[in-house]
Amino acid sequence: MSRQIDPISVSVVWNSLLSVTDEMGSTIRRTAYSEAVREGDDFSTGLFDRRGRLIAQGNYSPGHLGAMPYLMEHVLRRFAAETFEPGDSIVVNDPYMGSGHLPDIFFVTPAFFGNTLVGFTVNVAHHVDVGGAGPGSQVVHGVTDAYQEGIRILPVKLVRRGEFEPDLLQMILGNVRIPIKVEGDLRAQRNANFVGVERFVRLYESMGEHVVEECIDEILLRSCARMKELMGVIPDGDYAFEDRIDDYGPDTGPVTFAVDLTVRDGAITVDYSRSSDQVAAGINSYINYTRAYAGFAVRSIAGALLPQNAGTIDAIKVVAREGCFFNPKHPAPSGGRAAIQVRMFEVVAGALAKALPLRTMAAFSHWSNPNIGGIDDSGRPFVMYDLVLGGYGARADTDGTEALSPVFNCSNIPVEVHEMNNPVLIRKVEFVADSGGAGKFRGGSAVRKEIELLCAEATVSLLGDRHIFQPFGLEGGKPGKLATTRVVSGEQERTVSSKEVITIKRGDVLCLQLNGAGGYGNPADRTRAAVESDIKDGFVSLEAARGDYGFM
């Protein structure tokens, strides 16, 4: 540490930077218009120094956060420092430059201390619609290239000196289905960055430019050293794992997710090159999204839970051959790539289970992210963006957690909010008995949600998985029960695939049942007290307790 910088100053600066990103997040949440952002928390925030180095992030979604540093590289290649003025904001949603699909719109705003550029505030929010082939702009089946998925925004100054460029804003809003919500969320993003700039500059005013920047350098150095130390918990070696997602739409085959991890002296390479080729459907993972979730998975399992910054990123290298599913070439479509984030984490967990069996977990209860849209009976367009969240895989010392957001920090959107904003009736949200994989520690339960349509017609873009390939258990634990999706129309019922685009009519009920999560350890080793508790709580039936656990 520099002799001029004392430990207290470093602590004050570090915690102040984190506080800035948290306050930016609070601003978005409190001023956004859409349920996806306001209730679902589908946004993230970050802070960069004048050189474009990541210095702090809010505790939000890994897919956003992990992509931010690479997004900043693209922005700074396009805009020289001298072209920025106070109050400007660069906006971009390009899947390759950003976090992998068009609904994620980034804002980058310069921060000036006096006349000196000292850094940038950055945020990203998932917008409920950016145009394209289906409501919600996350269609998997039926799109064959990115040009069918919505409006693509390359880095552009949408905000100059604090005000939106009216012509550019009009062009964006003219290409989306719900312009009032998109505009409201864009304004929330602008405001959040301005709040971040104000708080960041206040830190410079209170501590001085030299002290703040010396502390930032020290924070990055310490973070790098500590990350390499924590990565040392993973033994040197080569570790591999494979799994498959169901398909990329009706009448298509599975996609192989294959990962090879190489660990040498605390340096880790995660290679997805053996995975399937990119597909002609909206589900490919552009390289920034791949980097984000691979890095997050390794850090989480290794216990390296430091605040992410430029110092923590270099210990993990993520690669994938060009043209494969995890590094597709433009214009590969990617709108529904949210459907694969859990599976990206799981294959890394499966590989690291061979190195760190006591730290990993079995497969999750895969979530569902349906988008339902159309015109209600008043003639108003609507897009219902939903999050159906299930259980976690069991671990070496505990059962899987129930009904919690997996590998990202979004939140359940309340039933009342959906019913107030959309022509739907939520008929049921419940746990599914006997769905979690049996084991010494039981996998989390599936969740079943039933949604009735209350208008003439709507289009549903389904984003789910685990209808075909069971979620794996570990160390003798059993797999969880498969997911199902059904549409009930009066006395008739039909089963649909996990990534299908369907039309439903008034009175139809969409029944989304997630898969159960995998178990951990031999079921014969589960305690009688734990089985009795499961029966009492309704997670396991008496019949299943007898069959899986020998309960008498």
Side-chain angles (χ1 to χ4, degrees):
M1 181 183 295
S2 170
R3 292 181 180 177
Q4 289 76 36
I5 305 299
D6 62 275
I8 293 176
S9 295
V10 172
S11 181
V12 169
V13 169
W14 199 340
N15 284 284
S16 295
L17 297 175
L18 294 172
S19 177
V20 170
T21 60
D22 287 342
E23 189 165 355
M24 290 167 62
S26 297
T27 302
I28 294 179
R29 184 184 295 111
R30 292 170 180 167
T31 60
Y33 275 44
S34 75
E35 305 93 278
V37 179
R38 191 182 61 241
E39 276 84 20
D41 286 348
D42 201 345
F43 63 84
S44 298
T45 62
L47 193 57
F48 291 76
D49 71 3
R50 73 178 92 216
R51 293 157 56 184
R53 298 181 302 175
L54 175 64
I55 55 178
Q57 289 185 318
N59 188 22
Y60 301 110
S61 176
H64 296 157
L65 299 173
M68 269 188 195
Y70 307 103
L71 179 281
M72 275 299 300
E73 291 176 6
H74 287 287
V75 169
L76 294 180
R77 278 198 290 268
R78 171 66 178 82
F79 292 92
E82 59 270 18
T83 66
F84 291 109
E85 295 184 77
D88 288 352
S89 284
I90 309 301
V91 172
V92 57
N93 76 338
D94 177 74
Y96 172 73
M97 295 183 183
S99 56
H101 71 170
L102 295 172
D104 286 349
I105 299 181
F106 287 79
F107 268 64
V108 178
T109 302
F112 287 86
F113 177 48
N115 294 320
T116 303
L117 176 67
V118 292
F120 301 88
T121 56
V122 181
N123 75 66
V124 52
H126 178 103
H127 286 256
V128 290
D129 190 86
V130 290
S137 312
Q138 296 193 89
V139 171
V140 173
H141 185 64
V143 298
T144 57
D145 64 45
Y147 299 111
Q148 298 168 304
E149 296 191 298
I151 186 168
R152 177 183 175 214
I153 308 169
L154 298 177
V156 63
K157 280 190 184 180
L158 181 60
V159 180
R160 292 180 184 268
R161 300 177 185 174
E163 299 299 329
F164 282 89
E165 289 280 5
D167 292 342
L168 291 176
L169 181 61
Q170 179 176 266
M171 182 182 69
I172 293 170
L173 299 180
N175 283 277
V176 304
R177 293 174 175 83
I178 315 291
I180 188 169
K181 290 186 177 180
V182 172
E183 181 176 5
D185 286 354
L186 290 173
R187 292 186 182 279
Q189 290 183 261
R190 177 198 61 179
N191 298 345
N193 272 11
F194 286 178
V195 168
V197 166
E198 181 181 333
R199 301 296 186 265
F200 188 38
V201 171
R202 187 179 299 171
L203 179 63
Y204 273 77
E205 292 171 345
S206 64
M207 300 195 70
E209 181 177 348
H210 175 74
V211 171
V212 172
E213 297 191 351
E214 284 280 326
C215 287
I216 288 172
D217 288 339
E218 185 66 26
I219 289 165
L220 298 184
L221 286 172
R222 286 190 186 190
S223 297
C224 182
R226 180 59 175 153
M227 179 58 67
K228 290 179 179 178
E229 179 184 343
L230 291 169
M231 288 293 104
V233 73
I234 306 176
D236 283 2
D238 300 309
Y239 310 101
F241 193 80
E242 290 186 22
D243 202 354
R244 293 184 288 177
I245 62 171
D246 297 341
D247 51 41
Y248 49 96
D251 302 318
T252 64
V255 178
T256 298
F257 285 27
V259 67
D260 296 292
L261 271 72
T262 303
V263 184
R264 299 288 186 274
D265 299 322
I268 300 172
T269 300
V270 184
D271 190 348
Y272 285 91
S273 295
R274 288 193 299 109
S275 300
S276 294
D277 291 339
Q278 67 186 66
V279 296
I283 197 172
N284 297 284
S285 175
Y286 277 93
I287 188 63
N288 286 351
Y289 199 65
T290 302
R291 289 165 171 158
Y293 268 101
F296 170 69
V298 172
R299 286 192 298 272
S300 297
I301 295 166
L305 304 180
L306 301 178
Q308 183 166 270
N309 58 39
T312 68
I313 293 171
D314 292 341
I316 304 168
K317 181 180 180 182
V318 181
V319 297
R321 63 179 170 84
E322 187 177 41
C324 86
F325 187 84
F326 292 100
N327 186 14
K329 293 183 285 188
H330 181 76
S334 60
R337 61 94 175 104
I340 63 172
Q341 58 195 202
V342 171
R343 307 300 298 281
M344 295 166 71
F345 185 99
E346 286 176 346
V347 290
V348 175
L352 286 178
K354 302 166 185 178
L356 301 171
L358 300 182
R359 289 177 178 258
T360 51
M361 66 173 65
F364 289 88
S365 174
H366 194 94
W367 73 305
S368 182
N369 183 200
N371 291 252
I372 305 171
I375 306 295
D376 68 17
D377 289 344
S378 72
R380 179 182 65 94
F382 73 95
V383 175
M384 176 183 167
Y385 166 97
D386 201 8
L387 302 162
V388 187
L389 308 170
Y392 274 43
R395 294 182 286 170
D397 58 356
T398 187
D399 292 345
T401 305
E402 306 293 353
L404 189 68
S405 181
V407 307
F408 55 95
N409 282 349
C410 288
S411 301
N412 173 65
I413 299 174
V415 166
E416 296 82 1
V417 171
H418 279 317
E419 294 180 343
M420 182 173 65
N421 286 277
N422 306 288
V424 298
L425 175 67
I426 311 300
R427 295 177 45 158
K428 186 181 294 184
V429 182
E430 63 183 4
F431 291 118
V432 179
D434 302 330
S435 57
K440 179 179 180 180
F441 296 100
R442 177 181 53 78
S445 291
V447 168
R448 181 187 295 120
K449 188 169 191 174
E450 297 186 357
I451 305 168
E452 180 181 349
L453 185 67
L454 303 181
C455 67
E457 182 177 287
T459 299
V460 182
S461 300
L462 294 167
L463 289 177
D465 204 64
R466 292 291 191 194
H467 285 209
I468 298 174
F469 300 106
Q470 287 183 295
F472 58 85
L474 290 175
E475 301 296 321
K478 302 301 182 183
K481 184 177 180 179
L482 287 172
T484 62
T485 303
R486 298 172 295 118
V487 177
V488 178
S489 305
E491 300 295 318
Q492 309 244 331
E493 179 180 308
R494 72 183 192 274
T495 299
V496 295
S497 63
S498 57
K499 300 169 192 68
E500 198 165 343
V501 179
I502 60 175
T503 299
I504 58 176
K505 306 287 187 179
R506 187 188 305 274
D508 286 354
V509 179
L510 177 66
C511 304
L512 301 157
Q513 181 173 312
L514 307 181
N515 63 278
Y520 193 107
N522 190 336
D525 295 332
R526 189 163 179 80
T527 67
R528 182 177 181 86
V531 177
E532 289 175 342
S533 177
D534 286 343
I535 295 171
K536 180 180 178 181
D537 291 336
F539 292 124
V540 176
S541 68
L542 182 58
E543 181 182 3
R546 288 169 176 161
D548 291 333
Y549 298 106
F551 183 81
M552 300 298 292

